[in-house]
Amino acid sequence: MALIAPRATAGLPADEARNLARSLQDSNDITVFVDGTVHRLPNEARDAVVDLLARLSRGETVTVSSVEEMLTTSQAAELAGISHTYLRNMTDRGEIPVEYRGTHRRIRQAAIMAWLQTQKKKQAAEADNASEENKATP
């Protein structure tokens, strides 16, 4: 769900892809040079860069985009994989914080991501409870 124009890069030619794949093999250290200055990437950024490079090394076309932090309810619902109406109802109940820009609701991406994490934890707990109940039943 890109809100800022994405940039697509075609896959690398086969020989360049092989060279890149060889360089990435068993490599966990990604160092970036910007204007001659060395920058060691934090783990999250390193993982994203390694993923990007690995995809290019397989000859895949890669699209890079960014997502704005404040989302419309439609964008937030799409990100969460739920309906726009269900999301609006959750904001009305205060389950997901919302900010208003005039009469328009805006939701922080971090709030949606936190809600998704909570849902995953609930599902895992329910699955654990169900398996324990199945074990208890002879």
Side-chain angles (χ1 to χ4, degrees), residues 110-125:
I112 294 297
M113 300 309 284
W115 180 80
L116 286 169
Q117 281 296 101
T118 301
Q119 296 307 302
K120 285 181 185 176
K121 288 178 184 175
K122 283 181 184 177
Q123 288 174 351

Side-chain angles (χ1 to χ4, degrees), residues 29-42:
D29 180 28
I30 300 295
T31 304
V32 177
F33 291 86
V34 179
D35 290 331
T37 303
V38 175
H39 296 275
R40 185 167 298 272
L41 298 177

Side-chain angles (χ1 to χ4, degrees), residues 45-118:
R46 183 200 67 227
D47 293 345
V49 170
V50 168
D51 182 57
L52 171 82
L53 294 173
R55 290 169 190 262
L56 287 170
S57 75
R58 293 190 298 266
E60 297 176 20
T61 297
V62 177
T63 301
V64 176
S65 64
S66 55
V67 178
E68 292 178 2
E69 186 173 308
M70 295 301 287
L71 307 172
T72 65
T73 52
S74 295
Q75 293 164 337
E78 181 182 343
L79 179 63
I82 58 177
S83 75
H84 177 264
T85 303
Y86 185 69
L87 178 68
R88 261 196 345 261
N89 290 337
M90 287 195 310
T91 62
D92 290 344
R93 291 189 303 265
E95 294 173 30
I96 293 183
V98 65
E99 296 178 25
Y100 286 88
R101 301 291 189 264
T103 59
H104 300 282
R105 301 171 202 227
R106 295 294 181 263
I107 300 168
R108 293 195 177 277
Q109 179 185 353
I112 294 297
M113 300 309 284
W115 180 80
L116 286 169
Q117 281 296 101
T118 301

